Amino acid sequence: MPGKRILVVKGSPREKGNSSLLADQLVEGARSSGAEVEVIILQNLNIQACTACDACLEAPENGCILEDDMQVLYPKLLRADAIAIATPIYWFTMSAQTKLFIDRWYALESPQGNALKGKTFGIILTYGDTDAVTSGAINAIRSFEDMFRFLKAEVAGFVYGSANQAGEVKSQKDLLARAYKLGQKMAC
Amino acid sequence: MPGKRILVVKGSPREKGNSSLLADQLVEGARSSGAEVEVIILQNLNIQACTACDACLEAPENGCILEDDMQVLYPKLLRADAIAIATPIYWFTMSAQTKLFIDRWYALESPQGNALKGKTFGIILTYGDTDAVTSGAINAIRSFEDMFRFLKAEVAGFVYGSANQAGEVKSQKDLLARAYKLGQKMAC
Amino acid sequence: MPGKRILVVKGSPREKGNSSLLADQLVEGARSSGAEVEVIILQNLNIQACTACDACLEAPENGCILEDDMQVLYPKLLRADAIAIATPIYWFTMSAQTKLFIDRWYALESPQGNALKGKTFGIILTYGDTDAVTSGAINAIRSFEDMFRFLKAEVAGFVYGSANQAGEVKSQKDLLARAYKLGQKMAC
Amino acid sequence: MPGKRILVVKGSPREKGNSSLLADQLVEGARSSGAEVEVIILQNLNIQACTACDACLEAPENGCILEDDMQVLYPKLLRADAIAIATPIYWFTMSAQTKLFIDRWYALESPQGNALKGKTFGIILTYGDTDAVTSGAINAIRSFEDMFRFLKAEVAGFVYGSANQAGEVKSQKDLLARAYKLGQKMAC
């Protein structure tokens, strides 16, 4: 049996940021369980904001008409069995990079439901503040929960923790282990 | 006594979208009460995502080093007595356009607190779903509340309502009136 | 095929309060779809607060040792296929009557999971304030959502709306209809 | 200058429960800063659920007509400069004991605002689950935040942490210290 196809999307501008490092652990966990993993770094891509032009609603067969790097990401999203999103918490919710990417899912809507329906999601969040409440990670968690309920998607889990300086997360064994296990879970 | 200076920031990609039309009402209310109002449409500007380069922390006197239209917006933010933000709810929180703008407030941090400290904020939210819970507007509200607590900013109020088709809000007299009154309140 | 067994629990102190009237609509909807419905009014019962004595954990076969009207409710909860809870919003979450009842579910925990696992829940909320955000209904909604996720229970739906004076809800046809439909859904 | 009068309300059924032990630290911190502190244990009192009879609205001069131990607590609440509430998280929000007490604040409403207006509040929360999100402490936090905004009360702070077995919190120096400091802050 071929392994699950997992798309890992990094929403941090920092290549070695804490959420990115946790995502790397998730990747290792997923690969250790036989998954085929691809990693995307949003900061390196050109992704425009959704313009709400509704061209995708009027002609779903054409999809989104904005010509940017989402045209490469859309087929990857459709092919994936599971999607992991790793984002730092900025200003009490997910990063703008991550939100740009998500807003473009609008073009995946169809009368049969969104094309992401039934896929499995895993979320990684890091923040400089002390906890998930004071940092506002809870607001991102609630947004993601609402999304997955709307999409009728499966939720493999949320891994989140406090880590401020880039790379600081490396000393947090428990957090690293939880990200690794989330990867294993998404691969099953 | 000169009127309050109010900056109104539209985070919708649609020039005549519902949140934009409510923002226009807020503008009228504010002007009727003697405020000097400037309107910004984020969709028409080039605003990059914060790269978390921390140059602004290392040399606060230089501010953000990203050379884009935020360089025009920063002085407007500093000059304003009050700031209104109008955003549609996309994917269970504010639009990516709005989040791009907010993430760049990071460069306004200083040892004395953020430069937006003490300013007055007003928020307008619209959504296609039936209410503030199912739409996820609540998640944006919680993020904004957390921001304003962090900034030690004043909250003039939140105006939010359901309106799907572009322009639909024009028939909602109560919602229009609430936006108008929020503008009046921000002008006082 | 015999109809579903539905237990409807009213958490309002007012017999003809708005949440109670909506619960009556839910009952009618459920009965119209063939369900066998029983209605409980918490205000009329003697339900003590959970004392966290942990006797139920130490001897699960004995259940809760507090001798009050929960001893009558426990078997009804176990027998029910679906459980509806109707509560007014007081002080930005569910009523104390409702919370007293829920805290006692602790005695339904076992190594195999809570005895309410897999059951279907429907929730009715009313509030005097204008909407689900300003009233704090959202906090009750989040608590219930968290409960049902923990219990691995099914969620038939949430019906909530603004109604202040006792009985005011009778003029709100849409809200009445939604409660009726929730009853039908829970019966299927 | 006489010290602040602080009322500390314990909402746990366990006399030596974790939230109660943190409350004891808060008491010590407050006394060390010169406050006059009184401690109330809700579990030992007879507090009925608010019946929404509205007698208190119709004749505010008489206050609540329910004859139970709240009649002793009302004057204590009015006299206090600051009020601390310590509650365990049960079923994803505050304990029923705590909610019974809070619902009775309804009788403190008047045309001039609630009698708790302007007072300072401090909140202590403990939970057996891993963090403030999974435990649902966040829902209690949001309810309290909404209450204090409504009351126009001051918020001295929230102290919360994970501790399951009764007394476990004694080994958590950081949490104990934060409760102590909250007491000091409330005394100033």
Side-chain angles (χ1 to χ4, degrees):
Chain A
M1 194 181 70
K4 286 277 174 65
R5 276 186 286 216
I6 303 184
L7 185 67
V8 176
V9 180
K10 295 181 173 183
S12 171
R14 292 172 169 165
E15 210 177 326
K16 297 290 175 197
N18 290 302
S19 66
S20 299
L21 292 172
L22 286 179
D24 291 342
Q25 288 297 307
L26 183 147
V27 169
E28 286 197 32
R31 286 192 175 135
S32 78
S33 296
E36 180 192 317
V37 184
E38 183 172 13
V39 179
I40 297 293
I41 300 172
L42 295 176
Q43 178 68 23
N44 296 346
L45 301 179
N46 171 29
I47 299 181
Q48 301 171 51
C50 170
T51 63
C53 71
D54 280 354
C56 59
L57 289 192
E58 288 152 20
E61 66 281 10
N62 295 335
C64 180
I65 61 168
L66 292 180
E67 296 186 355
D68 62 9
D69 291 336
M70 274 306 290
Q71 300 303 339
V72 182
L73 286 189
Y74 282 126
K76 293 183 194 296
L77 282 166
L78 298 183
R79 250 196 329 260
D81 299 301
I83 298 161
I85 301 174
T87 175
I89 297 299
Y90 289 166
W91 291 93
F92 307 97
T93 188
M94 67 194 75
S95 71
Q97 285 90 341
T98 305
K99 192 62 188 355
L100 281 165
F101 165 66
I102 288 173
D103 279 5
R104 297 288 293 283
W105 295 356
Y106 187 52
L108 299 174
E109 291 292 318
S110 85
Q112 290 76 44
N114 193 288
L116 301 177
K117 183 177 170 178
K119 293 186 190 288
T120 297
F121 282 84
I123 300 295
I124 288 173
L125 306 170
T126 56
Y127 34 84
D129 213 324
T130 50
D131 68 42
V133 173
T134 49
S135 65
I138 180 65
N139 303 320
I141 291 171
R142 294 303 195 197
S143 290
F144 281 117
E145 287 177 343
D146 288 346
M147 283 178 210
F148 301 146
R149 190 177 304 123
F150 168 76
L151 290 172
K152 299 186 199 303
E154 298 297 313
V155 183
F158 288 81
V159 169
Y160 48 87
S162 175
N164 200 356
Q165 296 306 310
E168 185 182 318
V169 82
K170 278 187 238 176
S171 63
Q172 301 193 38
K173 301 297 178 203
D174 173 61
L175 201 47
L176 295 168
R178 281 191 282 142
Y180 187 91
K181 280 175 78 171
L182 180 56
Q184 290 182 308
K185 188 172 176 192
M186 293 178 73
C188 297
Chain B
M1 194 181 72
K4 286 276 174 66
R5 277 187 286 215
I6 303 184
L7 186 67
V8 176
V9 179
K10 295 181 173 182
S12 171
R14 292 173 170 165
E15 210 176 327
K16 298 290 175 196
N18 291 301
S19 66
S20 299
L21 292 172
L22 286 180
D24 292 342
Q25 288 297 307
L26 183 148
V27 169
E28 286 198 32
R31 286 192 174 135
S32 79
S33 296
E36 182 193 314
V37 183
E38 184 173 12
V39 179
I40 297 293
I41 300 172
L42 295 176
Q43 178 68 24
N44 296 346
L45 301 178
N46 170 29
I47 300 181
Q48 301 171 50
C50 171
T51 63
C53 70
D54 280 354
C56 59
L57 289 192
E58 288 152 19
E61 65 281 10
N62 295 335
C64 180
I65 62 167
L66 292 181
E67 296 186 355
D68 61 9
D69 291 336
M70 273 306 289
Q71 300 303 339
V72 181
L73 286 190
Y74 282 127
K76 293 183 194 296
L77 282 166
L78 297 183
R79 249 195 332 260
D81 299 302
I83 298 161
I85 300 174
T87 175
I89 296 299
Y90 288 165
W91 292 94
F92 307 97
T93 189
M94 67 194 74
S95 70
Q97 286 89 343
T98 305
K99 193 62 187 357
L100 282 166
F101 165 66
I102 289 172
D103 280 5
R104 298 288 293 283
W105 296 356
Y106 186 53
L108 299 174
E109 291 292 317
S110 85
Q112 291 76 43
N114 193 287
L116 301 178
K117 182 178 170 179
K119 294 186 189 288
T120 297
F121 281 84
I123 300 294
I124 287 173
L125 306 170
T126 56
Y127 34 83
D129 214 323
T130 50
D131 67 43
V133 173
T134 50
S135 64
I138 181 65
N139 303 321
I141 291 171
R142 294 303 195 198
S143 291
F144 281 117
E145 287 177 343
D146 287 346
M147 283 178 209
F148 301 147
R149 192 178 303 123
F150 168 75
L151 291 171
K152 299 187 201 300
E154 298 296 314
V155 183
F158 287 81
V159 169
Y160 48 86
S162 174
N164 200 355
Q165 296 306 309
E168 186 183 318
V169 81
K170 278 187 235 176
S171 63
Q172 302 193 38
K173 300 299 179 200
D174 174 61
L175 202 47
L176 295 168
R178 281 192 282 142
Y180 187 91
K181 280 176 78 172
L182 179 56
Q184 291 182 308
K185 188 173 175 192
M186 293 178 74
C188 297
Chain C
M1 194 180 72
K4 286 277 174 66
R5 277 188 286 215
I6 304 185
L7 186 67
V8 176
V9 179
K10 295 181 173 184
S12 172
R14 292 173 170 163
E15 210 177 326
K16 296 293 175 195
N18 291 301
S19 66
S20 298
L21 292 171
L22 287 179
D24 292 340
Q25 288 297 306
L26 183 148
V27 169
E28 286 196 32
R31 287 193 174 135
S32 78
S33 296
E36 180 193 315
V37 184
E38 184 173 13
V39 179
I40 297 292
I41 299 172
L42 295 176
Q43 178 68 23
N44 297 346
L45 301 178
N46 171 29
I47 300 181
Q48 300 171 50
C50 171
T51 63
C53 69
D54 280 355
C56 60
L57 289 192
E58 288 153 20
E61 65 281 10
N62 295 335
C64 180
I65 61 167
L66 292 181
E67 295 186 356
D68 61 10
D69 291 337
M70 274 306 289
Q71 299 303 339
V72 182
L73 286 190
Y74 282 127
K76 294 183 193 296
L77 282 166
L78 297 183
R79 248 193 333 259
D81 300 300
I83 298 161
I85 300 173
T87 175
I89 297 298
Y90 289 166
W91 291 93
F92 307 97
T93 188
M94 66 193 75
S95 71
Q97 285 90 342
T98 305
K99 192 62 186 359
L100 282 166
F101 165 66
I102 289 173
D103 280 5
R104 297 287 293 282
W105 295 356
Y106 187 52
L108 300 174
E109 291 293 317
S110 84
Q112 290 76 42
N114 193 288
L116 301 178
K117 183 176 170 180
K119 294 186 188 286
T120 297
F121 282 83
I123 301 294
I124 288 174
L125 306 170
T126 57
Y127 34 84
D129 213 323
T130 50
D131 68 41
V133 173
T134 49
S135 65
I138 180 64
N139 303 322
I141 291 171
R142 294 303 196 198
S143 290
F144 281 117
E145 287 177 343
D146 288 345
M147 283 178 210
F148 301 146
R149 192 178 303 122
F150 169 75
L151 290 172
K152 299 187 200 303
E154 297 297 313
V155 183
F158 287 81
V159 169
Y160 47 87
S162 175
N164 200 356
Q165 295 306 311
E168 186 183 319
V169 82
K170 279 188 234 176
S171 63
Q172 302 193 39
K173 301 298 179 201
D174 174 59
L175 202 47
L176 295 169
R178 281 191 282 141
Y180 187 92
K181 281 175 77 172
L182 179 56
Q184 290 182 309
K185 189 174 176 192
M186 292 178 74
C188 297
Chain D
M1 195 180 72
K4 285 278 175 63
R5 276 188 286 217
I6 304 185
L7 186 68
V8 176
V9 180
K10 295 182 172 182
S12 171
R14 292 174 170 165
E15 210 177 326
K16 296 291 175 197
N18 291 301
S19 66
S20 298
L21 292 171
L22 287 179
D24 291 341
Q25 288 297 306
L26 183 147
V27 169
E28 286 197 33
R31 287 192 174 136
S32 78
S33 297
E36 180 192 316
V37 183
E38 183 173 13
V39 179
I40 296 293
I41 299 172
L42 295 176
Q43 179 68 24
N44 297 346
L45 301 179
N46 171 29
I47 299 181
Q48 301 171 50
C50 171
T51 64
C53 70
D54 280 355
C56 59
L57 289 191
E58 288 152 20
E61 66 281 10
N62 296 335
C64 180
I65 62 167
L66 292 180
E67 296 186 355
D68 62 8
D69 291 337
M70 274 306 288
Q71 299 304 339
V72 181
L73 286 189
Y74 282 126
K76 294 182 194 295
L77 282 166
L78 297 183
R79 250 194 332 260
D81 299 301
I83 298 161
I85 300 174
T87 175
I89 297 298
Y90 289 166
W91 292 93
F92 307 97
T93 188
M94 66 194 75
S95 71
Q97 285 90 341
T98 305
K99 192 62 185 1
L100 282 166
F101 164 66
I102 288 172
D103 280 5
R104 297 288 293 283
W105 295 356
Y106 186 52
L108 299 174
E109 290 293 316
S110 84
Q112 290 76 44
N114 193 288
L116 300 178
K117 183 176 169 179
K119 295 186 189 286
T120 297
F121 282 84
I123 301 295
I124 288 174
L125 306 169
T126 57
Y127 34 83
D129 213 324
T130 51
D131 67 42
V133 173
T134 49
S135 65
I138 181 63
N139 303 321
I141 291 170
R142 294 303 196 198
S143 290
F144 281 118
E145 287 177 341
D146 288 346
M147 284 177 209
F148 300 147
R149 191 178 302 121
F150 168 76
L151 291 172
K152 299 188 199 305
E154 298 296 314
V155 183
F158 287 81
V159 169
Y160 46 87
S162 175
N164 199 355
Q165 296 307 309
E168 185 183 319
V169 81
K170 279 188 235 174
S171 62
Q172 302 193 39
K173 302 297 179 202
D174 173 60
L175 202 47
L176 295 169
R178 282 192 281 140
Y180 188 91
K181 281 175 78 172
L182 180 55
Q184 291 183 307
K185 188 172 176 194
M186 291 178 74
C188 298

